[in-house]
Amino acid sequence: MCECYGIRSIAECMAKSRSETTQIQANYLLENLAKGNPKFQMQVYKGLIALLPCSSPKAQELAAQTLKVVQPIVCESNQSLVEPLIALLQSLHIEVQYEAIELIKLLMDYNVKDALIKSLVHILKPPKKLEQIKSEETEEKEGSQTGVVDFFVQQAAAAKTIGILVCLSNEIAEQFLSLQVIHNLIYAMGNEEYAESQRQASITLEFFVKNFPIVADHVKEAMGDQLFEAFLTDPDGLYARMTPIQADVCRSNKVNIPYRSSA
């Protein structure tokens, strides 16, 4: 089967089938091929990575789920995994996001760790082209504002993912700090257009404030006493009471913590 492009055919079946049963069975076959055929493990691995950007949420979910099994088998991770995996955080399907986050957690022990961490910090702030996207979608009266929503969903998921990863080890938390994640988290807290971004960024920022005194000092100075106290009192619900002026303070923050990671 493998010699006759069987792996490619199975992957295509997963991506294009409208039957979840068929997709599950195809995924099961790929997983067993990776486990039982050392010669083609890497081919299966690359096939699963190729499925991540497909248009089927179920195939994306299954591919990410199976990559958690196959990754330890092939040992070294492939850099081509980073971009499509980070893109899964845009998904509106919670099960896809869940599997993406679980895979990112696993990959903290592999050579794509640094690239994943940098990407997560980067997507907390909007790309320069976002305002152009907003303008174009406003002009298209029947448009669904997909591009803007994709970014906001990904921003919130990135903040959530960072909050999960920093709990894994102090080394990972320090690496995020060295990349100025605090500035970007505070910025995301000021995103009045998407409450979940504000909420997740605030929850994750709380971890850093409680565990790193230098962060608490810089955040308090950036926010001011009143907003900082409100943040400490209820980081989960702060977004609901944040004023437009306070949100602007967050978006305009200049926090720059000179922190060198020991990683």
Side-chain angles (χ1 to χ4, degrees):
M1 177 182 289
C2 296
E3 295 285 2
C4 298
Y5 302 100
I7 292 173
R8 181 186 300 176
S9 298
I10 298 168
E12 288 179 357
C13 175
M14 272 184 67
K16 297 177 181 179
S17 177
R18 295 185 179 182
S19 165
E20 284 197 8
T21 301
T22 299
Q23 289 176 308
I24 291 170
Q25 291 300 319
N27 182 68
Y28 178 75
L29 184 53
L30 283 177
E31 182 177 331
N32 278 281
L33 284 171
K35 289 178 178 178
N37 196 332
K39 184 178 179 181
F40 294 99
Q41 287 169 351
M42 186 57 67
Q43 191 175 339
V44 172
Y45 177 64
K46 290 180 178 180
L48 290 168
I49 293 174
L51 281 169
L52 295 182
C54 79
S55 60
S56 167
K58 188 63 180 179
Q60 291 175 323
E61 175 195 351
L62 291 170
Q65 187 179 80
T66 305
L67 277 166
K68 290 186 297 180
V69 177
V70 177
Q71 181 63 71
I73 295 174
V74 300
C75 297
E76 187 171 342
S77 55
N78 193 311
Q79 291 293 329
S80 66
L81 173 59
V82 175
E83 185 176 345
L85 178 54
I86 290 294
L88 288 187
L89 297 180
Q90 295 181 354
S91 178
L92 295 174
H93 297 266
I94 191 66
E95 62 276 9
V96 175
Q97 277 200 21
Y98 171 81
E99 293 298 344
I101 293 172
E102 288 297 302
L103 180 54
I104 291 171
K105 283 170 60 179
L106 173 74
L107 291 169
M108 289 298 101
D109 292 324
Y110 292 84
N111 63 322
V112 292
K113 171 188 171 185
D114 292 352
L116 286 169
I117 288 176
K118 287 179 182 178
S119 294
L120 289 168
V121 174
H122 177 72
I123 60 179
L124 288 173
K125 291 191 75 173
K128 292 180 180 179
K129 63 181 180 180
L130 187 64
E131 288 303 321
Q132 179 183 347
I133 293 173
K134 285 183 182 180
S135 177
E136 291 173 353
E137 291 181 344
T138 299
E139 292 174 3
E140 297 174 6
K141 296 181 180 179
E142 296 182 0
S144 60
Q145 296 195 335
T146 305
V148 176
V149 172
D150 285 349
F151 166 73
F152 289 156
V153 170
Q154 188 181 40
Q155 181 189 51
K160 178 181 178 179
T161 304
I162 293 169
I164 292 170
L165 296 179
V166 295
C167 293
L168 298 179
S169 76
N170 195 57
E171 177 189 322
I172 291 175
E174 289 183 342
Q175 190 166 349
F176 274 109
L177 279 179
S178 71
L179 295 171
Q180 299 302 324
V181 70
I182 303 305
H183 168 77
N184 287 15
L185 284 170
I186 298 175
Y187 180 94
M189 284 177 61
N191 183 3
E192 297 174 280
E193 297 183 69
Y194 200 68
E196 188 63 10
S197 285
Q198 293 180 291
R199 176 174 170 269
Q200 293 295 345
S202 184
I203 292 171
T204 296
L205 182 63
E206 181 191 24
F207 170 89
F208 287 104
V209 167
K210 286 187 173 181
N211 289 278
F212 297 90
I214 188 174
V215 173
D217 293 340
H218 279 77
V219 172
K220 183 175 182 179
E221 182 179 353
M223 288 185 174
D225 292 342
Q226 184 178 359
L227 180 56
F228 185 68
E229 286 302 317
F231 161 70
L232 290 180
T233 300
D234 184 18
D236 194 348
L238 176 63
Y239 72 92
R241 301 186 306 279
M242 187 178 287
T243 68
I245 292 176
Q246 290 173 330
D248 185 63
V249 167
C250 289
R251 293 192 300 271
S252 305
N253 88 87
K254 304 296 183 185
V255 171
N256 184 354
I257 302 176
Y259 200 96
R260 179 173 295 180
S261 172
S262 58

